[in-house]
Amino acid sequence: MLPSFFIAHGAPLLAIEDNEYTQFLHSLGRTLPKPKAVVLFSAHWESSVQKVSDVDQYRTIYDFGGFPESLYRIQYPANGDKEIAKEIEELFINKGIPFEVETERGLDHGAWVVLRLLYPDADIPVISMSVNPNITPEEQYKVGKSLSELRKKDVLIIGSGGTVHNLSAVKMVQGDSVVDQWALGFDEWLAIRLKNWDLESLFKYDSLAPNASLAVPPYGNEHFIPIFYAMGAADNEKSAKLIHRSYRYGNLSHSVWQFG
């Protein structure tokens, strides 16, 4: 059975950089058994009701501005998978989770940057999924849990976001050797609760975790919550392992968590 993952997608520049983190994601994609498909919850696709993509082939969305022209020339023409999309719909119906099918939307950079680093040939079907910042962490976890059966069918489930993602705090001109202590403190608190599968504390991270309002600003929780979707998908095993963590720009966390 494939694990599920929470993978930080960092800044769009990751798509053209060669560094410790991009090398790790390249290696991870080569190490994992090749999945039948990838189901990916992206922080950059917010919706008030769960969306499930059902497309033939995705266009590439450039949902950012002010970056090098080479970024805007990247294409990631992944195919969809109608059979698995339908299976997801049936699982949601069985679990009483409201959803809508999306037949037009392409892949945003929260999806294609991660996917391209893992699977540069775009040869694995993708089902893109939205996230809903307005429901509770318990409900987000429940959505992921409802899809856990897919892991037995060689479907890889990924939540793409960032554990520490506060764009007003990043220091673009700072080197990566110095990391803000508030970011480290939040990530260390999170690591202990994830490894202990302490849902009671995790679901109240915003009031319990040190520096939570800095690491996960109220206006930016969409980058943190994909971790609950990915975690829920491994509810039947309840094991968590931090397999990579590094930082850019003083506090932007590149964390990869493996569940199951």
Side-chain angles (χ1 to χ4, degrees):
M1 182 188 301
L2 284 171
S4 59
F5 290 92
F6 174 81
I7 300 178
H9 61 248
L13 287 170
L14 277 181
I16 56 174
E17 290 177 330
D18 179 14
N19 56 40
E20 175 190 1
Y21 186 46
T22 61
Q23 291 168 17
F24 172 80
L25 291 180
H26 280 308
S27 176
L28 180 62
R30 292 192 298 266
T31 303
L32 288 171
K34 188 172 182 178
K36 178 182 178 182
V38 176
V39 174
L40 188 144
F41 292 87
S42 173
H44 285 272
W45 187 10
E46 298 177 56
S47 65
S48 58
V49 64
Q50 181 63 54
K51 297 291 184 73
V52 181
S53 283
D54 186 355
V55 302
D56 292 320
Q57 187 178 67
Y58 291 95
R59 60 188 173 86
T60 306
I61 300 175
Y62 309 100
D63 51 334
F64 46 77
F67 288 94
E69 182 60 31
S70 57
L71 268 180
Y72 303 91
R73 292 196 293 266
I74 292 175
Q75 297 284 321
Y76 194 81
N79 292 326
D81 189 309
K82 291 184 176 296
E83 180 181 334
I84 294 177
K86 178 58 70 175
E87 190 167 355
I88 290 171
E89 295 165 29
E90 292 171 354
L91 289 169
F92 283 160
I93 290 170
N94 292 338
K95 299 297 183 180
I97 296 172
F99 68 91
E100 294 176 356
V101 177
E102 170 58 55
T103 60
E104 299 292 335
R105 192 178 190 275
L107 292 176
D108 58 67
H109 85 271
W112 64 258
V113 169
V114 167
L115 291 169
R116 186 169 176 268
L117 289 168
L118 292 172
Y119 304 114
D121 296 331
D123 57 346
I124 296 173
V126 176
I127 297 88
S128 184
M129 309 283 282
S130 66
V131 299
N132 185 351
N134 300 314
I135 58 177
T136 64
E138 293 96 324
E139 292 171 301
Q140 294 152 357
Y141 186 96
K142 179 183 175 183
V143 172
K145 182 179 177 180
S146 71
L147 303 181
S148 60
E149 289 296 309
L150 293 175
R151 293 174 47 229
K152 298 177 182 177
K153 301 179 179 181
D154 298 325
V155 174
L156 180 62
I157 299 175
I158 295 174
S160 170
T163 57
V164 180
H165 188 279
N166 185 339
L167 296 184
S168 67
V170 298
K171 304 160 185 174
M172 295 296 289
V173 297
Q174 178 175 303
D176 297 333
S177 59
V178 179
V179 182
D180 291 338
Q181 288 301 308
W182 61 264
L184 287 171
F186 178 83
D187 266 343
E188 285 301 319
W189 181 94
L190 181 64
I192 293 169
R193 275 70 189 179
L194 288 172
K195 289 174 181 176
N196 292 332
W197 213 268
D198 182 0
L199 296 180
E200 184 177 355
S201 296
L202 288 166
F203 290 164
K204 299 175 182 176
Y205 75 90
D206 54 344
S207 60
L208 296 180
N211 315 307
S213 62
L214 268 175
V216 188
Y219 60 83
N221 68 330
E222 78 286 338
H223 275 76
F224 183 72
I225 62 173
I227 205 165
F228 294 123
Y229 294 89
M231 196 179 185
D235 178 81
N236 57 338
E237 293 181 271
K238 295 184 175 63
S239 67
K241 180 167 65 172
L242 180 65
I243 59 173
H244 179 89
R245 186 166 70 199
S246 56
Y247 295 86
R248 298 293 303 276
Y249 317 123
N251 51 62
L252 185 65
S253 178
H254 288 165
S255 296
V256 180
W257 281 92
Q258 175 178 318
F259 301 115

